[in-house]
């Protein structure tokens, strides 16, 4: 529509932002040219230049701010680093490499740590995942961590937490429980 500068598309839609290296696929898309905003709905998928994908029911991409807003069964996959994040809503600040989730969030980090939390922040360039909400972290050594808040450093496998309850040998006959007000734990 020339008057409103809005373009609607249906079918197997592909939108490519060559300046910011971002590609969007969806069933339908609306491009608000004056605002440089793309709204994709139905089987929406955004792929960045580092081959990270965000799939969701609805994806809104602002070309000016380079921010992606995804809602409805959101899944972030980083194939290179073998990480997955699931949430109902998230915002991806592409310029500063930051993902903020809203509501219940599950993360699988390198198939080593399974994290359940809410309202989490993932700093992609620093490889840090954190939340100030109650969280549960399971590792591959049958250990489970209950925390009031945490920061997980992916490169070093260090976990920094507050009000931490650790259960070793979780769901096995001989397990131990430890409580720490604050602590840094090596999850290797």
């Amino acid at each position: 529509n020339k008057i409103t500068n809005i373009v609607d598309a249906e079918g197997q839609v592909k939108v490519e932002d060559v300046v910011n290296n971002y590609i969007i696929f969806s069933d339908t898309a609306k491009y608000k040219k004056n605002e440089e905003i793309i709204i994709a709905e139905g089987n929406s998928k955004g792929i960045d230049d580092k081959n990270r994908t965000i799939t969701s029911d609805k994806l809104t991409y602002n070309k000016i701010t380079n921010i992606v807003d995804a809602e409805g069964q959101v899944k972030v996959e980083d194939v290179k680093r073998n990480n997955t994040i699931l949430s109902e809503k998230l915002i991806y600040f592409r310029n500063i490499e930051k993902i903020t989730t809203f509501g219940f969030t599950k993360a699988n980090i390198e198939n080593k740590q399974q994290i359940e939390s809410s309202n989490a922040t993932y700093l992609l360039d620093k490889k840090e995942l954190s939340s100030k909400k109650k969280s549960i972290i399971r590792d591959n050594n049958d250990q489970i961590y209950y925390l009031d808040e945490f920061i997980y450093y992916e490169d070093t496998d260090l976990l920094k937490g507050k009000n931490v309850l650790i259960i070793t040998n979780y769901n096995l006959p001989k397990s131990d429980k430890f409580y720490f007000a604050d602590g840094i734990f090596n999850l290797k």
Side-chain angles (χ1 to χ4, degrees):
N1 188 333
K2 277 191 167 184
I3 297 169
T4 59
N5 278 321
I6 295 175
V7 177
D8 289 304
E10 289 184 16
Q12 295 178 339
V13 179
K14 177 182 178 183
V15 180
E16 190 167 355
D17 179 357
V18 292
V19 173
N20 293 316
N21 295 313
Y22 203 67
I23 302 171
I24 297 171
F25 299 92
S26 70
D27 294 338
T28 65
K30 179 179 286 194
Y31 175 46
K32 297 180 178 181
K33 188 175 180 181
N34 291 347
E35 301 168 55
E36 293 288 344
I37 292 176
I38 299 162
I39 302 167
E41 293 191 64
N43 298 312
S44 302
K45 180 187 276 191
I47 304 172
D48 71 9
D49 54 336
K50 294 180 177 102
N51 206 23
R52 291 184 288 236
T53 62
I54 297 175
T55 55
S56 63
D57 296 335
K58 181 179 180 183
L59 197 138
T60 304
Y61 173 54
N62 186 318
K63 290 174 65 175
I64 297 167
T65 61
N66 205 13
I67 293 174
V68 178
D69 189 334
E71 33 187 312
Q73 299 181 36
V74 181
K75 181 178 185 178
V76 179
E77 289 182 283
D78 186 336
V79 177
K80 287 181 184 173
R81 292 175 20 196
N82 200 16
N83 294 341
T84 305
I85 298 173
L86 304 172
S87 186
E88 272 307 302
K89 178 177 171 49
L90 68 77
I91 298 176
Y92 175 21
F93 302 89
R94 295 190 65 228
N95 290 341
I96 59 172
E97 294 284 299
K98 175 182 172 181
I99 293 174
T100 303
T101 69
F102 299 90
F104 181 71
T105 303
K106 285 180 80 168
N108 185 331
I109 308 298
E110 297 176 343
N111 285 329
K112 294 189 291 187
Q113 320 309 335
Q114 292 75 44
I115 300 168
E116 293 180 10
S117 189
S118 60
N119 301 350
T121 299
Y122 189 31
L123 304 176
L124 296 162
D125 56 339
K126 293 182 179 181
K127 299 181 184 177
E128 292 177 12
L129 180 64
S130 63
S131 176
K132 295 200 180 283
K133 301 290 184 181
K134 290 188 182 286
S135 304
I136 301 171
I137 299 177
R138 291 175 178 83
D139 67 16
N140 289 340
N141 298 320
D142 293 319
Q143 302 212 74
I144 188 164
Y145 301 79
Y146 294 91
L147 312 103
D148 280 357
E149 61 182 78
F150 76 93
I151 300 174
Y152 174 68
Y153 303 93
E154 188 179 332
D155 277 345
T156 57
D157 280 329
L158 290 179
L159 173 67
K160 182 178 179 180
K162 291 194 177 184
N163 296 321
V164 183
L165 171 65
I166 302 172
I167 303 173
T168 63
N169 299 319
Y170 187 71
N171 280 340
L172 295 174
K174 294 187 180 197
S175 65
D176 294 310
K177 292 182 181 181
F178 301 97
Y179 173 77
F180 300 91
D182 292 292
I184 299 174
F185 310 93
N186 188 340
L187 301 186
K188 285 186 179 180

